[in-house]
Amino acid sequence: MTVLGLIAGALTTLSFLPQVVRTMRTRSARDLSWTWIVMMTAGITAWCVYGMLRVDVPVIVANGITFVLVMSLAVLKARHERVVSTAS
Amino acid sequence: MTVLGLIAGALTTLSFLPQVVRTMRTRSARDLSWTWIVMMTAGITAWCVYGMLRVDVPVIVANGITFVLVMSLAVLKARHERVVSTAS
């Protein structure tokens, strides 16, 4: 059952990697919702704090990686929107 | 600490709602990665099975809601891409 949990965690965490790669490649993040990014970042931060309080390493690691990936999406979206705004 | 976990779960689960609303409103999901959607769906399904095996209701509920929201994104993306493909 632990293996299933690890597979589940790896899938939901690493799923953000192809999204970051796509956003870097297409240089477009218009279809990503800022509300989604902000809520997701807040939620992942809360999960990290929760993991630290419980000294739960898998929760800290999984959410730490997801945090980095979602923050990358936020930076890419902010950068692309500034470029579009400057160009128009 | 349980309250923090509930807040974290509510945030990461419900964060997908504004993304679904945005995709419905803009009728565009081009910037969403299919690989992300597929990996996320597989991961959430694994989390649901894990929750069922452990009889962990919060895990089942949170991932059940996320599953419905991510599947909505998949349906919207598939529909919009068919419309774009037919139009061009």
Side-chain angles (χ1 to χ4, degrees):
Chain A
M1 212 194 291
T2 310
V3 174
L4 183 63
L6 289 173
I7 291 170
L11 279 168
T12 49
T13 298
L14 297 179
S15 70
F16 287 93
L17 193 61
Q19 180 60 61
V20 172
V21 170
R22 181 181 174 86
T23 307
M24 289 182 83
R25 219 184 46 219
T26 62
R27 293 169 183 275
S28 171
R30 202 171 47 90
D31 295 338
L32 300 180
S33 156
W34 269 123
T35 318
W36 170 64
I37 291 175
V38 170
M39 284 178 75
M40 189 54 110
T41 305
I44 293 161
T45 307
W47 275 127
C48 281
V49 176
Y50 179 80
M52 285 170 194
L53 290 173
R54 283 180 64 117
V55 198
D56 189 332
V57 176
V59 169
I60 300 168
V61 172
N63 286 286
I65 295 169
T66 313
F67 182 84
V68 172
L69 293 171
V70 174
M71 283 312 289
S72 307
L73 284 179
V75 170
L76 288 168
K77 183 170 168 69
R79 194 182 292 172
H80 297 333
E81 286 184 355
R82 207 175 47 187
V83 171
V84 170
S85 155
T86 311
S88 61
Chain B
M1 210 193 295
T2 310
V3 174
L4 183 64
L6 289 172
I7 292 170
L11 279 168
T12 49
T13 299
L14 297 178
S15 70
F16 287 94
L17 194 60
Q19 180 62 59
V20 172
V21 170
R22 180 180 174 87
T23 306
M24 288 181 84
R25 219 184 47 219
T26 62
R27 292 168 184 276
S28 171
R30 201 173 47 92
D31 295 337
L32 300 180
S33 155
W34 268 123
T35 317
W36 170 63
I37 292 175
V38 170
M39 283 178 76
M40 189 54 110
T41 305
I44 293 161
T45 306
W47 275 127
C48 281
V49 176
Y50 179 81
M52 285 171 193
L53 290 173
R54 283 180 64 116
V55 198
D56 189 332
V57 176
V59 169
I60 299 167
V61 171
N63 286 285
I65 296 170
T66 312
F67 182 85
V68 171
L69 293 171
V70 173
M71 282 312 289
S72 307
L73 284 178
V75 169
L76 287 167
K77 184 170 167 69
R79 194 182 291 171
H80 297 333
E81 286 185 354
R82 205 175 48 187
V83 170
V84 171
S85 154
T86 311
S88 60

